[in-house]
Amino acid sequence: FFPQFPVVLLQGKTDGNVAITLKAGSPQADIRGDIKIKDAGIKIQGVPQPIKNISGGLQFDGTTATLKGISGRYGSLIAKVDGKASLQSGLNLNVDVEPADIAKAMKSLGLKTSLPIEGEVKLKAKIIGQNPQITANFASTKPITIDRFTLSQVQGQIETKDVNSPQ
């Protein structure tokens, strides 16, 4: 569906009905139908770990795929994704990450800190565009302790302008 998207399917089961129409001289297929995914795993180029335990639904409508209740696991992080992926406009996805232990989440993301951090946070993100921009809001669900300093509540926003840029 998105040949330029560097994803490798590792495992999984699908069930559904899909019609694919190919037109002479057109580089893009017209895909229509619905599929359900269960216990899938994918590897995305440039992302250190595979995304596992993917389940949910996809609806194809020509050049747009609608994600319905897609859930998956990245290391210790569990997320649910809904939204659309379109050849014309790119991504328009809503991501909800379940409350996660900060130390385990940082390890899953390959991040390190010089001080010990304990606590739990949840995250809601929006991923938009052909060259995806990410806006994420996070908030603590339990007190956060950095070294010996405890914060009862932490919240903030993270935003990227170009995920393909090293800025």
Side-chain angles (χ1 to χ4, degrees):
F1 193 74
F2 290 97
Q4 73 278 14
F5 198 57
V7 175
V8 175
L9 180 64
L10 302 174
Q11 65 190 41
K13 299 173 187 169
T14 62
D15 183 30
N17 293 305
V18 177
I20 301 172
T21 304
L22 302 171
K23 294 181 183 177
S26 175
Q28 184 58 45
D30 182 82
I31 304 171
R32 298 187 182 273
D34 296 287
I35 62 171
K36 291 195 185 309
I37 301 167
K38 186 172 181 177
D39 299 325
I42 60 172
K43 177 72 173 113
I44 301 173
Q45 181 181 332
V47 177
Q49 295 186 50
I51 300 171
K52 299 179 177 180
N53 304 107
I54 301 170
S55 295
L58 286 171
Q59 177 182 14
F60 296 96
D61 186 18
T63 58
T64 301
T66 301
L67 289 74
K68 297 180 175 185
I70 300 286
S71 61
R73 175 183 289 274
Y74 182 81
S76 67
L77 301 172
I78 299 171
K80 185 172 272 188
V81 181
D82 289 289
K84 295 183 182 285
S86 166
L87 288 175
Q88 286 77 30
S89 57
L91 302 174
N92 186 357
L93 303 175
N94 297 304
V95 181
D96 288 321
V97 179
E98 290 183 5
D101 178 272
I102 292 175
K104 290 178 182 175
M106 289 183 68
K107 184 176 180 181
S108 293
L109 296 169
L111 302 173
K112 295 181 182 180
T113 178
S114 58
L115 297 172
I117 299 178
E118 295 177 5
E120 188 178 87
V121 294
K122 64 180 177 177
L123 179 126
K124 288 186 180 288
K126 185 92 172 159
I127 304 172
I128 299 176
Q130 289 277 8
N131 211 6
Q133 295 179 355
I134 302 169
T135 302
N137 294 298
F138 63 89
S140 58
T141 55
K142 293 182 180 177
I144 304 295
T145 302
I146 303 170
D147 196 20
R148 292 173 286 192
F149 183 66
T150 301
L151 302 165
S152 61
Q153 184 177 11
V154 175
Q155 60 187 17
Q157 184 177 45
I158 302 167
E159 186 174 318
T160 66
K161 294 294 182 193
D162 181 355
V163 296
N164 297 316
S165 173
Q167 299 177 7

